[in-house]
Amino acid sequence: MGIKAGVVGVGPVGQNIYRCIHELGLQCDEIRMFATSAREMDVDGEMLSVLGLGTEYSDEGLKLFEGLDVVFFAGREGEKGAAKTWAMKAIDTYGCFCIDNGSDFRLDQGIPLIVPEVNMDVATSDTRFIASPNCSTIQLCVALSPLYAKAKIKRVIVSSYQAVSGYGRDAQADMVQQLKALDPEDLSKPLGHDPGIFRKQIVLDCVPHIDSFMDNGYTKEELKMRYETRKIFGDDTMDVVATTVRVPVDIGHAESLNVEFDGPMNAETARELWRESSEELGIVVIDDLAKDTPGWPTPGSPKDATWAGHKYADERSYPTQADVLKGEYKNLVLVGRARDDYSRENTLNFWCVSDNLRKGAATNVVQIAMGLVKRGIIG
Ligand SMILES: NC(=O)c1ccc[n+]([C@@H]2O[C@H](COP(=O)([O-])OP(=O)(O)OC[C@H]3O[C@@H](n4cnc5c(N)ncnc54)[C@H](OP(=O)(O)O)[C@@H]3O)[C@@H](O)[C@H]2O)c1
């Protein structure tokens, strides 16, 4: 027998939760979809009935949660957001188990913040609410986890290249409008963006501003990566310094990382550790000699010459954001470009890519629910 699941929010994350429940095999007898207003909605050719909760708390709205074992929250964040309005009331009234994609409760003491591959064990039989981390934090933690198990991490410097869908469906629609307004004869012409979404036009540009600016000059997104990563690894000594950048990509976040370890670590060991744990952690290493690439070796690289004392080498493969749209990679974390940092001992540079709507959100929460079922905490 399956469980009864609710999904609050039918934006890109809510829709992907619906897909992941089926694709990953969370056994459900019922999937109840909610948004602010009722509607019929087409998801991959299937017409779903969406129940309307309204934009504020009501007793009638709360009754719609009756009988649900687990509720996935994929609504807007904040005081009047979905999780703040409904989650604790659904727990207290109907004993629902709540798993939240938003940031409202992630750093609260006593609220587990879970990436199942890293810290599923922090959920106990007393837990009723679990927070799922920020999309950029999740892929970072998955990629770091087998390396951390080998050598403690002292410091992470990360720059992100984040897709517009990380903001939600409104940002995707705004980017499409900007693309339609492109004039191939004059690429400098303003495209008419919505400054309520991103402050600057996103097409043909990159914007180093995600979420609010904070009093230390960092953005909230950058600080989320710091505090959430520390909480997930249970290690407040690990320093995480982030620069988060919005790029004109629809789906898929990329990160460039520089990681300093407390013990021996190099690029070759990292690739081995990722490959060994690939099945268990959902990591794919794309960092080999790129023999199948058209144009290999890199056109214009003279094989026997040297430059600045370095020999030219054969081209290597690497993952990009477009790769995560391929079916086989959408729930995984792709890593590549692993290099020893020649300026610092036991320090590594690498590149990591994942689907922000999948492993960065929907896949993670469905995996959490599957972990709870396995542990007998729900179902
Ligand atoms: N996008 C990502 O990559 C990503 C990654 C990790 C976490 N998250 C988090 O996941 C959540 C959803 O993201 P999204 O990109 O799918 O957002 P979105 O495109 O803005 O969609 C939000 C959905 O939630 C519904 N909603 C908003 N407030 C509600 C409320 N008070 N009660 C019931 N339903 C409500 C909206 O209903 P209507 O359709 O009726 O307006 C809409 O269907 C956000 O908290 C976001 O921070 C997103």
Side-chain angles (χ1 to χ4, degrees), residues 125-177:
S125 53
D126 296 331
T127 310
R128 300 312 298 170
F129 185 103
I130 289 177
S132 180
N134 183 260
C135 34
S136 324
T137 308
I138 293 175
Q139 68 184 75
L140 174 82
C141 289
V142 171
L144 292 182
S145 116
L147 312 185
Y148 187 91
K150 173 86 175 170
K152 203 166 173 269
I153 291 170
K154 278 197 318 230
R155 192 184 67 158
V156 178
I157 298 176
V158 53
S159 297
S160 72
Y161 304 74
Q162 299 183 215
V164 296
S165 59
Y167 180 93
R169 62 188 172 188
D170 294 347
Q172 291 177 286
D174 194 52
M175 185 170 80
V176 170
Q177 284 312 313

Side-chain angles (χ1 to χ4, degrees), residues 42-87:
D42 184 337
V43 177
D44 307 329
E46 186 184 350
M47 286 313 284
L48 303 181
S49 290
V50 179
L51 301 174
L53 288 169
T55 51
E56 287 183 5
Y57 174 81
S58 68
D59 290 342
E60 302 77 65
L62 185 62
K63 283 198 190 102
L64 299 175
F65 290 90
E66 190 170 1
L68 293 177
D69 297 298
V70 63
V71 184
F72 298 103
F73 281 90
R76 276 272 145 222
E77 299 162 339
E79 272 322 306
K80 293 192 169 175
K84 285 247 177 179
T85 307
W86 301 107

Side-chain angles (χ1 to χ4, degrees), residues 7-17 34-39 41 50-57 65 73-86 100-104 106 132-136 138 162-172 211 221 224 246 250-253 355-362 365:
V7 181
V8 180
V10 294
V13 174
Q15 290 182 42
N16 274 296
I17 292 173
F34 302 94
T36 59
S37 59
R39 73 200 70 156
M41 184 172 185
V50 179
L51 301 174
L53 288 169
T55 51
E56 287 183 5
Y57 174 81
F65 290 90
F73 281 90
R76 276 272 145 222
E77 299 162 339
E79 272 322 306
K80 293 192 169 175
K84 285 247 177 179
T85 307
W86 301 107
D100 185 19
N101 277 286
S103 65
D104 295 315
R106 286 182 192 146
S132 180
N134 183 260
C135 34
S136 324
I138 293 175
Q162 299 183 215
V164 296
S165 59
Y167 180 93
R169 62 188 172 188
D170 294 347
Q172 291 177 286
D211 210 330
E221 185 85 352
K224 282 179 200 166
R246 193 70 73 185
D250 187 34
I251 296 172
H253 289 355
D355 183 333
N356 53 296
L357 300 174
R358 285 296 188 117
K359 184 56 197 163
V365 294

